[in-house]
Amino acid sequence: MKFEKISVIGLGYIGLPTAAVLASRGVQVIGVDVNQRVVDALNKGQVTIVEPDLDMVVHAAVTTGKMSATTTPEPADAFLVAVPTPFKDDHVPDLSYIEKASKAVAPVLKAGNLVILESTSPVGATEQMAQWMAEIRPDLTFSHQAGDDADVHVAHCPERVLPGHVMRELVENDRVIGGLSPKATDMAEGLYRIFVTGECLKTDARTAELCKLVENSFRDVNIAFANELSLIADRFGIDVWELIRLANHHPRVNVLRPGPGVGGHCIAVDPWFIVHSAPDQARLIRTAREVNDHKPHYVIEKVVEAAKGLKQPQIACLGLAFKADIDDLRESPSLDIVKRLAEAKLGTLLVVEPYVDEMPKSLQGHDHLKFVDVDEAVKAADIILVLVNHKPFLAVDRSLLEGKHVIDACGAWL
Ligand code: SAJ
């Protein structure tokens, strides 16, 4: 099937780059978002998120007339749904964005359409999405009802790109594609072939759903192992970085890096989707989440301990982003640690984040917090807490650290 017009629902970290890449391959793309500000910006060729090279591709797509945005879905050959799937209280998956998107798309569907869910989702979500659309359109049949003979074909293909490398990974990564019917899988493969140079691996929707959750849980469990080691090594007075470096010389060992906790909107969320639907089986996955969520508290305790006996210490806090060399502060354990240290009023906090211009709003309003550059913070500090191994921190002159209490939570200064 030839896809001449594709609609991308949700113009966030995944939808916008995907829309722009499709448009760059000559497809007519209609982006849909409930946020008028996002839609207006896109129609001017501007982007509302920071991702290397994205602005260029979006600008080109809009100025060549290949991409435009609207708040209400319009008819198209295929629809890609890339909306958030957060969790509610008690880590219950929140599918309300998928529900709203499917109900918004349903009225413009026609026979022969393909609908793909890209949002990371619990097992069964793709079928649920098809069901929501079917309830609004009893005049059409969907893959979960009529298989290959359906009017509207529905598939899941989870996004797997790494923030900071999205434009390259979108094209080069392999894709796992699972339809609610074999025909839906084949059609979806045809769509991804427009821009993917990696392999397109075919399966069913439920396996594709679980596959994505497993990938992020695998990483979470491995980071939890590294974080647990950092506590064990501290207890023995052993340098965890040397310990891991030595262990990793074994040909079949590859321990990841401990850090101040696990942040971002994926790895700290997705494992809970497995735990929620298989609580009795997912014991290791749950424990890994708990271990990683505990790590920020442990880092705070270390600072409190170091500050004991010092009168109004100057505490340099290096890094607020959720990981190295990005400007994304959402769900960041580092930001959370600095917030809690500010509330604890241990001394003056010299906050450094080279990738943002000013003190984040959530830290404003404390009079013992200063937003400074790394050199000023390191020179003035009694205690230096390294939270993110941003490149600008790696260049710090080590002689400036003499006589200071350094807590390097991410191994920046090995
Ligand atoms: N982290 C550590 N130690 C490590 C590696 C990471 O503490 O050794 C921390 C980071 O500092 C960060 C968190 O883990 O706080 C997550 O960072 P990440 O780089 O591991 O992953 P994300 O959240 O940026 O992106 C992940 C990716 N998944 C995997 O690598 C399996 C990406 O491919 C997914 O597309 C993305 O989640 C997603 O959207 O689901």
Side-chain angles (χ1 to χ4, degrees):
M1 173 181 178
K2 186 144 170 45
F3 299 98
E4 277 163 12
K5 201 189 235 188
I6 297 178
S7 180
V8 178
I9 317 293
L11 297 172
Y13 279 80
I14 301 302
L16 182 56
T18 307
V21 169
L22 276 166
S24 76
R25 301 296 191 270
V27 177
Q28 194 64 43
V29 178
I30 309 169
V32 182
D33 201 286
V34 289
N35 188 333
Q36 187 72 50
R37 191 178 60 87
V38 171
V39 167
D40 291 345
L42 192 132
N43 284 331
K44 286 186 211 140
Q46 296 163 358
V47 295
T48 39
I49 54 176
V50 178
E51 180 61 42
D53 301 331
L54 175 64
D55 48 352
M56 237 164 48
V57 187
V58 166
H59 186 76
V62 175
T63 49
T64 53
K66 280 289 167 198
M67 181 161 78
S68 60
T70 164
T71 50
T72 328
E74 293 170 14
D77 300 320
F79 297 83
L80 272 179
V81 177
V83 294
T85 38
F87 54 60
K88 302 185 268 195
D89 294 343
D90 294 334
H91 304 120
V92 177
D94 177 2
L95 300 188
S96 60
Y97 294 89
I98 300 182
E99 181 175 1
K100 282 194 196 98
S102 12
K103 289 182 173 170
V105 161
V108 299
L109 288 175
K110 51 187 190 309
N113 275 168
L114 170 68
V115 184
I116 300 176
L117 177 63
E118 278 219 10
S119 314
T120 304
S121 299
V123 175
T126 309
E127 188 168 340
Q128 173 67 72
M129 181 179 83
Q131 185 53 32
W132 277 319
M133 293 186 292
E135 282 163 14
I136 294 195
R137 292 300 299 273
D139 55 317
L140 294 171
T141 57
F142 290 76
S143 303
H144 69 301
Q145 300 161 322
D148 282 355
D149 298 328
D151 295 320
V152 178
H153 306 275
V154 184
H156 181 55
C157 180
E159 60 83 10
R160 302 158 104 195
V161 287
L162 195 66
H165 302 262
V166 168
M167 300 313 281
R168 183 178 53 78
E169 290 208 354
L170 206 50
V171 173
E172 292 179 4
N173 283 5
D174 297 342
R175 299 294 299 234
V176 175
I177 303 170
L180 287 178
S181 70
K183 182 158 180 200
T185 311
D186 289 344
M187 285 175 75
E189 187 201 7
L191 187 146
Y192 287 102
R193 278 275 156 247
I194 297 172
F195 66 95
V196 171
T197 58
E199 272 186 71
C200 288
L201 307 157
K202 295 198 270 185
T203 182
D204 57 72
R206 290 168 72 84
T207 309
E209 287 161 345
L210 188 56
C211 185
K212 169 60 196 265
L213 303 180
V214 163
E215 290 161 16
N216 281 353
S217 301
F218 173 85
R219 197 148 168 85
D220 198 45
V221 168
N222 280 279
I223 298 169
F225 183 74
N227 277 333
E228 186 163 293
L229 282 186
S230 70
L231 271 59
I232 295 169
D234 271 2
R235 191 183 159 89
F236 292 120
I238 286 171
D239 176 355
V240 70
W241 302 101
E242 188 188 355
L243 175 73
I244 292 174
R245 185 176 58 77
L246 295 172
N248 283 351
H249 273 268
H250 186 285
R252 285 174 295 284
V253 173
N254 183 19
V255 180
L256 294 184
R257 298 170 69 89
V262 168
H265 0 279
C266 311
I267 297 200
V269 174
D270 302 350
W272 287 117
F273 291 0
I274 301 182
V275 174
H276 176 253
S277 47
D280 295 335
Q281 291 77 25
R283 294 188 296 162
L284 179 62
I285 295 173
R286 175 200 291 274
T287 303
R289 275 286 68 246
E290 287 165 355
V291 168
N292 285 334
D293 278 352
H294 170 70
K295 192 66 196 288
H297 303 282
Y298 182 76
V299 173
I300 291 167
E301 276 168 32
K302 286 182 88 159
V303 180
V304 171
E305 193 59 36
K308 264 186 197 153
L310 295 174
K311 212 166 162 242
Q312 282 303 305
Q314 303 266 327
I315 307 171
C317 302
L318 307 190
L320 297 173
F322 90 83
K323 66 178 187 175
D325 299 314
I326 58 168
D327 66 344
D328 194 343
L329 308 188
R330 294 174 306 160
E331 319 295 335
S332 169
S334 307
L335 181 62
D336 192 41
I337 288 169
V338 175
K339 228 184 285 173
R340 284 164 197 253
L341 288 175
E343 283 155 13
K345 296 193 169 58
L346 294 176
T348 301
L349 301 188
L350 307 168
V351 179
V352 182
E353 178 42 73
Y355 292 104
V356 304
D357 298 332
E358 55 179 24
M359 184 83 88
K361 281 207 178 57
S362 60
L363 293 178
Q364 287 173 8
H366 293 275
D367 48 10
H368 51 289
L369 250 73
K370 288 187 198 154
F371 195 70
V372 297
D373 68 31
V374 60
D375 287 337
E376 187 181 340
V378 168
K379 279 182 196 145
D382 303 298
I383 300 169
I384 303 174
L385 172 61
V386 196
L387 291 164
V388 190
N389 49 355
H390 285 323
K391 284 202 189 83
F393 300 159
L394 309 184
V396 165
D397 176 0
R398 303 295 196 276
S399 68
L400 295 175
L401 309 180
E402 271 166 37
K404 303 182 188 251
H405 192 124
V406 176
I407 302 168
D408 186 354
C410 55
W413 292 339
L414 297 178

